[in-house]
Amino acid sequence: MAHQFLIPTALFCLILAALLPSSYAGGVISVYWASPQRPYPDAWIGGALGTGLFDYVWVQFYNNPPCQYSGNADNLKKSWNEWTSNLSDTLFLGLPAAPEAAGSGYIPPDVLAPEVLPSITTSPKYEDMMLWSRQYDEGYSSTIKPNV
């Protein structure tokens, strides 16, 4: 069963992270995930992420110039390393599927494979990628799939 919550404050998120495990006693398997925006730590759920409760974290590496691709991958790689060195969770690299899908941070597929993915996919915390949004994905996912 999937649960979705509207998180109004950072404190609420921290309390929720502390209470959720005890609410699923009795053999129920639960998977917890989060989708923070950059920078690290996320202003809303940074404290909750620090609990180690989350199994998966989908991080948005776009619409935030200090952590996105902007003609080169330096900021994105630095940001990725910051996330992976501070969390024990498994991470997904979140990118826009097309230039129109986000205000900034789009990486053309022919750039993503040679300039970004070698540094990201070798991390033991790398799980996969997420793309925003399927509505804009006109071949991006099928083009990058062999490299992810």
Side-chain angles (χ1 to χ4, degrees), residues 69 106-118 139-140 143-144 147:
Y69 181 87
Y106 173 75
I107 307 172
D110 61 326
V111 173
L112 180 69
E115 292 185 32
V116 177
L117 292 180
Y140 191 88
T143 302
I144 66 167
N147 299 300

Side-chain angles (χ1 to χ4, degrees), residues 84-116:
T84 58
S85 64
N86 286 295
L87 293 178
S88 59
D89 311 298
T90 302
L91 299 179
F92 285 70
L93 176 68
L95 297 175
E100 354 10 276
S104 59
Y106 173 75
I107 307 172
D110 61 326
V111 173
L112 180 69
E115 292 185 32
V116 177

Side-chain angles (χ1 to χ4, degrees), residues 35 56-62 69 76 80 90-98 105-114 116-122 125-134 137 140-148:
S35 297
Y56 302 103
V57 180
W58 284 266
V59 183
Q60 175 182 313
F61 289 94
Y62 56 94
Y69 181 87
L76 189 149
W80 174 266
T90 302
L91 299 179
F92 285 70
L93 176 68
L95 297 175
Y106 173 75
I107 307 172
D110 61 326
V111 173
L112 180 69
V116 177
L117 292 180
S119 299
I120 304 297
T121 58
T122 55
K125 295 182 183 177
Y126 170 80
E127 179 69 24
D128 209 334
M129 290 184 60
M130 71 164 188
L131 296 176
W132 179 262
S133 136
R134 181 144 178 88
D137 185 4
Y140 191 88
S141 60
S142 58
T143 302
I144 66 167
K145 186 176 181 178
N147 299 300
V148 300

